[in-house]
């Protein structure tokens, strides 16, 4: 029996790789490894509607197509080591898997506060289904909630917790929430809308301590203020899950560095011919928007990467050299997209908004439905709208740097 393709990561990126491999004609052995016990599920709703209502696997599970019936799923045991030269991956349960090709789709984990004597109860992050279930159980009417981190996850959680009857305070390091991705004008507009629903923001502030013995009772800030709380949500960004790759000749600084065909790179920049990375863990070039490489945590990226890798890898393993060469030559150059729901605000964006040096109101008006364009010179590098969804979508093909 030939060695399998091993996909490490059983979330959306890993699932889409498996689907695309089968749809592209790869019929050989295929193993998908996941550290969680759950079958693949959709993560973005965990801080939005799912947290507010039905926190269950059924609410977020992806449908598994019949073409995946013969895939071997190894869930509930994380990859803890890999030997890329020997082509093996070792799991936490002691299993060692040989591979013909490896796809790294391990995603991210939340950054966590590192304070001495941090209470064990009442402190949460939102990344996994189990995280959301644990948090939902504590978001009861009247609960005092502090959210540390004023990015999208923090602001979405603030809206959800407020709708559930909690009293919410968001603490952020910058002058306004979501400043980097949205720019000052739109970020300030959304802050006002959140405040109109009762969310309090304490900006230009950092946590200096967490109060409580077994359970959190409050936090202290560098402003001198103390905030009482029953629940503390840490929303401080993410770290790539690359530890199992340590000791190999692979560039894993700030994620798995890949080239335009999504092959993982050695430290000297040479590509591993049979190792790929997809999704949030991958650091990749986006010529249309950013000359450097970066990780992009937008919802469309794992799927688009998976389709590229799955098709390319299927052709590589088929032995059709000409077809593989043609697919390999197509550089991955997506238009990143994200969405965010916060109370009545429904945001939709395309491009990399933080590449813009100028923000212009394109349609609508602040405080209502509106569309902003993000420009670097004459190039529109991003567009973001509140409402006006069809009009925002119409801007998609106008976003990107000119050649």
């Amino acid at each position: 029996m030939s060695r399998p393709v091993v996909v490490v990561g059983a979330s959306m990126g890993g699932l889409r790789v498996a689907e695309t491999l089968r749809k592209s004609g790869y019929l050989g052995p295929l193993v998908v490894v996941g550290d969680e016990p759950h079958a693949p599920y959709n993560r973005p709703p965990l801080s939005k509607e799912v947290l507010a209502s039905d926190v269950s696997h059924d609410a977020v599970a992806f449908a598994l197509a019949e073409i995946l019936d013969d895939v071997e799923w190894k869930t509930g045991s994380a990859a803890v080591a890999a030997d890329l030269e020997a082509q093996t991956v070792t799991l936490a349960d002691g299993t060692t898997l040989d591979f013909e090709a490896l796809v790294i789709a391990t995603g991210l984990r939340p950054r966590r506060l590192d304070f001495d004597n941090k209470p064990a109860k009442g402190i949460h992050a939102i990344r996994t289904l189990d995280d959301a279930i644990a948090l939902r159980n504590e978001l009861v009417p009247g609960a005092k909630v502090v959210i540390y981190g004023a990015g999208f996850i923090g602001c979405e959680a603030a809206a959800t917790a407020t709708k559930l009857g909690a009293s919410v305070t968001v603490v952020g390091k910058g002058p306004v929430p979501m400043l980097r991705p949205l720019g000052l004008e739109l970020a300030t507009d959304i802050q006002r809308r959140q405040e109109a629903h009762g969310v309090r923001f304490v900006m230009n502030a950092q946590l200096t301590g967490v109060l409580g013995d077994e359970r959190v009772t409050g936090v202290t800030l560098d402003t001198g203020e103390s905030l009482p709380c029953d629940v503390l949500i840490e929303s401080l960004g993410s770290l790539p899950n690359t530890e199992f790759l340590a000791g190999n000749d692979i560039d894993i600084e700030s994620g798995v560095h890949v080239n335009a065909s999504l092959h993982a790179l050695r430290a000297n920049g040479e590509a591993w011919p049979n190792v790929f990375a997809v999704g949030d863990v991958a650091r990749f070039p986006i010529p249309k928007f950013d000359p450097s490489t970066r990780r992009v945590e937008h919802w469309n990226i794992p799927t688009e990467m998976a389709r590229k890798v799955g098709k390319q890898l299927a052709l590589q393993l088929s032995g059709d050299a000409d077809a593989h060469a043609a697919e390999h030559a197509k550089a991955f150059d997506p238009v990143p997209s994200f969405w965010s729901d916060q109370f009545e605000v429904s945001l939709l964006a395309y491009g990399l908004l933080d590449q813009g040096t100028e923000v212009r109101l394109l349609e609508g008006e602040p405080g209502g439905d509106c569309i902003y364009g993000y420009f670097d010179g004459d190039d529109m590098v991003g567009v973001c709208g509140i409402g006006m969804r069809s009009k925002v979508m119409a801007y998609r093909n106008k976003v990107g740097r000119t050649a």
Side-chain angles (χ1 to χ4, degrees), residues 101-330:
L102 174 67
V103 182
I104 303 160
T106 45
L108 310 172
R109 65 185 184 279
R111 292 181 183 272
R112 303 303 300 262
L113 291 169
D114 185 18
F115 290 132
D116 292 336
N117 302 316
K118 192 169 76 169
K121 297 180 180 179
I123 301 179
H124 299 266
I126 308 172
R127 180 66 186 176
T128 68
L129 176 61
D130 291 340
D131 290 340
I133 291 172
L135 176 57
R136 178 64 180 85
N137 291 335
E138 300 210 56
L139 293 181
V140 297
K144 295 186 291 291
V145 177
V146 171
I147 300 173
Y148 187 33
F152 282 107
I153 299 298
C155 290
E156 289 167 358
T160 299
T162 300
K163 289 189 288 187
L164 289 169
S167 173
V168 179
T169 300
V170 177
V171 178
K173 297 178 181 180
V176 294
M178 300 172 289
L179 175 61
R180 181 181 176 188
L182 296 183
L184 183 61
E185 189 168 358
L186 183 52
T188 301
D189 181 6
I190 294 177
Q191 179 178 340
R192 291 195 192 104
R193 299 182 196 222
Q194 286 246 3
E195 289 171 335
H197 286 277
V199 178
R200 181 191 176 203
F201 286 86
V202 180
M203 302 305 298
N204 294 311
Q206 298 187 52
L207 259 65
T208 55
V210 180
L211 306 176
D213 295 324
E214 292 187 3
R215 183 177 183 85
V216 64
T217 59
V219 297
T220 58
L221 309 181
D222 61 357
T223 61
E225 185 177 5
S226 295
L227 302 174
C229 68
D230 309 304
V231 178
L232 173 61
I233 301 174
E234 300 174 353
S235 182
L236 305 173
S238 305
L239 296 170
N241 293 317
T242 57
E243 287 75 11
F244 81 103
L245 296 165
N248 290 278
D249 181 12
I250 184 172
D251 183 351
I252 53 174
E253 182 181 357
S254 188
V256 180
H257 192 186
V258 300
N259 60 17
S261 59
L262 306 183
H263 286 82
L265 300 180
R266 297 175 183 266
N268 65 3
E270 293 181 0
W272 283 92
N274 63 337
V275 181
F276 304 81
V278 303
D280 294 345
V281 74
R283 176 166 59 92
F284 60 99
I286 317 179
K288 195 183 274 108
F289 298 97
D290 189 350
S292 62
T293 61
R294 58 157 66 196
R295 290 186 292 105
V296 179
E297 300 173 31
H298 290 355
W299 73 270
N300 68 314
I301 295 300
T303 294
E304 294 190 31
M305 283 184 139
R307 289 170 178 164
K308 166 71 173 170
V309 167
K311 184 175 182 180
Q312 185 174 271
L313 182 53
L315 290 169
Q316 178 177 322
L317 296 174
S318 74
D320 188 337
D322 291 340
H324 172 251
E327 183 61 32
H328 178 273
K330 299 176 184 177

Side-chain angles (χ1 to χ4, degrees), residues 35-156:
D35 59 342
E36 295 181 64
H38 311 291
Y41 63 87
N42 196 17
R43 294 184 190 274
L46 294 179
S47 60
K48 303 180 180 72
E49 65 269 19
V50 171
L51 186 59
S53 55
D54 182 12
V55 186
S56 67
H57 184 259
D58 288 345
V60 290
F62 289 116
L64 298 183
E66 289 185 11
I67 56 173
L68 302 180
D69 285 350
D70 61 348
V71 171
E72 184 178 358
W73 298 91
K74 289 189 173 293
T75 55
S77 188
V80 295
D83 186 329
L84 300 186
E85 293 286 359
Q87 298 180 208
T88 64
V89 172
T90 302
L91 308 187
D93 64 7
T95 302
T96 297
L97 302 172
D98 295 318
F99 65 80
E100 187 66 28
L102 174 67
V103 182
I104 303 160
T106 45
L108 310 172
R109 65 185 184 279
R111 292 181 183 272
R112 303 303 300 262
L113 291 169
D114 185 18
F115 290 132
D116 292 336
N117 302 316
K118 192 169 76 169
K121 297 180 180 179
I123 301 179
H124 299 266
I126 308 172
R127 180 66 186 176
T128 68
L129 176 61
D130 291 340
D131 290 340
I133 291 172
L135 176 57
R136 178 64 180 85
N137 291 335
E138 300 210 56
L139 293 181
V140 297
K144 295 186 291 291
V145 177
V146 171
I147 300 173
Y148 187 33
F152 282 107
I153 299 298
C155 290
E156 289 167 358

